[in-house]
Every structure is written in C-alpha cells, then in structure tokens.
Amino acid sequence: MGIIRVDYRIYDEIVKYAKEHLPEEACGLIAGTEDENGRLIKKVYYLENIDHATDHFTLDPKDQMTAIKDMRANGLKPLGNWHSHPESPSRPSDEDVKLAFDSSASYLILSLMAENPVLNAFHIAEGEWSKEDLRITSEDYYF
Ligand SMILES: [Zn+2]
C-alpha cells in the first residue's frame, strides 16, 4: 500500500462537518483514484449516521447507494470510509475492527477529543489493524 493523499481543503471540510455533528459520530465514504504510487482522495461523501450515537455509527444504506452511483458517474473509485471519534483517539475501536469487512478499504478516523483534530488512515483485516501512510497535501506549497 502506497501513500494516501488528501488535499487540505477536503481535510478542513471533513473536520468542519464532523464538528458540526458533535456530540454524534459523523461518517461517510471516500473516493478518488489509485495507481502504483498510492491513493488520491478526490471526493468525500457525508452520510447520515443512522445510529445517531456518540460512540458508534452505521452508514445510511440509501445515502451509500447514492454515493456509489455518484462515484460511478464521475469515474471515481471507492477507496474506503471515514468516521469521527468525538471522545476517543484516532484508532479503530474494537467495534470498528469487528465491523471492518473490506480489507481493500482505507478506514479514516478523525479524533476530536483534543483541541486539535487528528486524522489517521488504517488498513483492517482479519481482526488486525495497521496504520496507513496518510498525508494532507497542498499543491499551493509548490508554487
Ligand atoms: Zn470508530
């Protein structure tokens, strides 16, 4: 698995959305492109957490279908999902590991427990998780 890149504007948008949904966990899907250098997140989908809970989430299946259709229409590859942890660190909970059925997906977890948000990406397979190389980027820096 290569590097996963996400533009800082998309990152800011996720943080803003997740903060607006406190104290509930916020969640959604990520899509973009993938090649031998890694993954590029181009679009984030904001889905309803039908649990409306502070410590777990379930993606709305109808929202999920709409998002997948949009990815197809825009030539984007589904890359995984994201959710927030309002009061716990940026790493998979026992439940997150148990419910992670897609070993090809990147699982992004945004922690809002401290003053500064922390976002990490994880690979989860067979009850084990490992951290992926997630980088928040800006093309502006190269000018
Ligand atoms: Zn979680």
Side-chain angles (χ1 to χ4, degrees):
M1 173 73 62
I3 297 163
I4 304 167
R5 291 182 171 84
V6 60
D7 186 272
Y8 76 97
R9 295 174 195 86
I10 294 178
Y11 167 76
D12 286 349
E13 200 181 278
I14 298 172
V15 171
K16 185 167 174 274
Y17 178 90
K19 281 185 173 171
E20 281 168 5
H21 284 73
L22 286 172
E24 292 181 8
E25 281 197 12
C27 54
L29 297 174
I30 53 171
T33 55
E34 183 171 32
D35 62 21
E36 65 278 4
N37 297 314
R39 295 176 160 185
L40 175 65
I41 298 170
K42 288 189 163 171
K43 193 164 179 182
V44 171
Y45 296 85
Y46 301 92
L47 275 56
E48 186 181 344
N49 175 3
I50 55 173
D51 293 339
H52 293 284
T54 60
D55 57 356
H56 55 98
F57 75 99
T58 302
L59 297 168
D60 182 302
K62 224 172 70 207
D63 285 358
Q64 217 165 341
M65 209 108 84
T66 309
I68 299 288
K69 270 188 205 150
D70 184 84
M71 290 175 202
R72 285 201 193 117
N74 289 291
L76 299 173
K77 186 184 157 87
L79 298 177
N81 61 57
W82 72 275
H83 71 282
S84 67
H85 279 179
E87 286 165 6
S88 57
S90 170
R91 60 165 180 263
S93 66
D94 291 345
E95 187 177 78
D96 290 337
V97 173
K98 210 167 62 195
L99 298 176
F101 297 115
D102 186 359
S103 62
S104 70
S106 293
Y107 292 87
L108 269 58
I109 299 179
L110 175 74
S111 173
L112 297 172
M113 71 183 290
E115 193 182 333
N116 291 310
V118 177
L119 181 69
N120 283 306
F122 300 92
H123 169 80
I124 309 177
E126 291 161 16
E128 305 281 335
W129 57 265
S130 55
K131 215 171 136 183
E132 295 183 329
D133 186 355
L134 176 72
R135 302 189 196 176
I136 296 162
T137 62
S138 168
E139 60 215 16
D140 307 345
Y141 299 158
Y142 297 102
F143 289 121

